[in-house]
Amino acid sequence: MTTTAAASATGSELKATISVAASPAQVWALVTDVRRMGEWSPQVVRTLVLGGPVREGTRFANLNHQGWKHWPTSAKVVRFTPHSDFAFRITENRTVWSFQLEPTADGGTFVTHRRETPDGISAVSNLLVGRFLGGQETFVPELLEGMGQTLDRVKDHIESGV
């Protein structure tokens, strides 16, 4: 698949963007259904939501992978503004992942997918990434590429009407 998302890294922030021919409500329904994140993200294998519907404060667990290597993470939803802003913090490394949605003049949505490190990355996470995932120099570009793939897959799903 050709990547249509634009991706960039500035300091410790990673960002990918894409325009989707669907309303913010349609895009919101997909990106906040974290149980389906394995369909969009090339790193996520499975997500288990702990409790009821996803909203601010909801906790969930992910099983992630890089090739044959698998590892769990846990997360908590830290922002939940319907049709606009959805963010969750990964407990193990303190990163914040988010999707911001902006309506476009043509009735579509401009989507920004970010990974921020407002409190830095935990020492344990840095150690594990260095030892088992190729180090930050390798892992960060891989994350950035995966963010673009995530947005491409969301766009393809919505625009194909599947």
Side-chain angles (χ1 to χ4, degrees):
M1 173 194 317
T2 302
T3 299
T4 56
S8 64
T10 305
S12 62
E13 177 183 291
L14 307 180
K15 178 172 79 170
T17 59
I18 200 165
S19 290
V20 179
S23 71
Q26 291 170 291
V27 177
W28 176 262
L30 286 185
V31 299
T32 60
D33 187 356
V34 294
R35 290 171 190 89
R36 296 184 68 187
M37 195 55 68
E39 294 177 45
W40 323 128
S41 170
Q43 187 180 77
V44 177
V45 174
R46 184 174 306 124
T47 300
L48 173 66
V49 175
L50 310 171
V54 175
R55 61 178 179 262
E56 191 165 341
T58 297
R59 294 185 180 276
F60 57 94
N62 288 316
L63 178 60
N64 302 302
H65 79 105
Q66 180 194 62
W68 60 269
K69 297 169 267 186
H70 287 74
W71 67 95
T73 57
S74 58
K76 179 180 178 183
V77 177
V78 294
R79 294 194 312 265
F80 192 87
T81 305
H83 310 161
S84 175
D85 185 28
F86 174 64
F88 52 91
R89 179 181 293 269
I90 302 298
T91 306
E92 293 77 11
N93 63 17
R94 302 189 307 240
T95 59
V96 177
W97 292 82
S98 64
F99 294 90
Q100 280 88 38
L101 313 178
E102 299 174 45
T104 60
D106 62 0
T109 304
F110 185 74
V111 184
T112 301
H113 184 22
R114 280 191 176 85
R115 190 216 62 179
E116 300 169 272
T117 57
D119 301 317
I121 297 174
S122 71
V124 169
S125 181
N126 275 324
L127 176 71
L128 293 172
V129 166
R131 289 232 172 120
F132 301 106
L133 299 174
Q136 293 295 338
E137 303 76 31
T138 301
F139 193 57
V140 167
E142 199 174 293
L143 289 176
L144 198 54
E145 181 179 341
M147 292 167 72
Q149 290 173 352
T150 297
L151 292 182
D152 284 340
R153 291 171 181 175
V154 166
K155 176 184 176 78
D156 288 347
H157 180 83
I158 289 176
E159 292 183 357
S160 70
V162 174

